[in-house]
Amino acid sequence: YYISGGEGSTTLTSSGNTVTGNINNGISVWAQDSSTLTASFLNEDTSTNTTGFTVTANSSAQLDIAMGNINSSNNTVNGFLVRNQNSAQLLMGIENSTIASNGNNGFDIENTSGDTMEVDLGGGDRSSTGSNSIYSNTVVDMKLNTGSQLSATQNWWGNVLGLQPAQTNLIGGSTIDSS
């Protein structure tokens, strides 16, 4: 569990961890209270937890997070839960990762902040190359709430035709570019 709070800036680098079998989250990253957190996660395995990775920006915080070679599979609820709340700013890029066979959603992305939220799974402003494998999640592969926009190009969706509408739950005008 990584928490950044207060007025300061923090840089976090994490690599090579295996966090499995927890009854709660595998890895949680939380920036709050006007803090600035810049984080990098590489080669992490967050499988067989309740939720593999939880990423939250809250209360005017700024969170800039880059991820690569993440395995977040076979979790009982979500592979990733991503939340931007209460006037926060969340910038996130993920590439070369596997998010598969989770009990609910591959990604559950919520932007209730009304402020900046950029999640790039390929081809977006965070320079993610994509190359993610996002498939076979029980409910949907991608759930986006409250008008979220997501770039997710150059990924494998478990289907040669790409991401299918049945694999998504887009709420409140949310969109996904998965071309």
Side-chain angles (χ1 to χ4, degrees):
Y1 210 100
Y2 304 98
I3 299 176
S4 173
E7 297 286 327
S9 296
T10 303
T11 301
L12 168 67
T13 302
S14 178
S15 181
N17 294 295
T18 299
V19 184
T20 59
N22 290 296
I23 61 170
N24 289 310
N25 301 318
I27 295 177
S28 294
V29 181
W30 188 288
Q32 63 186 16
D33 300 330
S34 302
S35 66
T36 300
L37 174 59
T38 303
S40 172
F41 289 87
L42 299 171
N43 304 311
E44 309 284 19
D45 183 357
T46 60
S47 298
T48 67
N49 301 292
T50 298
T51 292
F53 241 105
T54 300
V55 177
T56 304
N58 191 22
S59 300
S60 302
Q62 295 181 13
L63 175 55
D64 188 341
I65 187 166
M67 297 182 168
N69 298 310
I70 305 296
N71 179 30
S72 190
S73 302
N74 299 305
N75 294 291
T76 57
V77 180
N78 297 313
F80 274 82
L81 174 59
V82 181
R83 298 178 295 199
N84 193 39
Q85 307 166 326
N86 302 320
S87 302
Q89 176 179 329
L90 175 63
L91 308 172
M92 183 173 170
I94 302 173
E95 59 190 22
N96 303 311
S97 296
T98 300
I99 300 88
S101 302
N102 293 290
N104 283 353
N105 306 304
F107 282 87
D108 184 344
I109 300 174
E110 304 171 1
N111 185 12
T112 60
S113 173
D115 285 326
T116 302
M117 179 172 168
E118 294 177 14
V119 178
D120 178 4
L121 301 180
D125 292 338
R126 309 302 306 152
S127 300
S128 168
T129 60
S131 298
N132 298 296
S133 295
I134 307 165
Y135 62 93
S136 296
N137 296 287
T138 303
V139 178
V140 294
D141 292 330
M142 303 300 301
K143 178 181 176 188
L144 278 67
N145 291 315
T146 322
S148 300
Q149 283 75 45
L150 176 70
S151 179
T153 63
Q154 304 298 317
N155 294 303
W156 172 247
W157 301 99
N159 184 323
V160 295
L161 300 175
L163 181 63
Q164 299 299 299
Q167 296 170 279
T168 66
N169 183 0
L170 305 177
I171 301 166
S174 295
T175 62
I176 299 174
D177 175 7
S178 64
S179 55

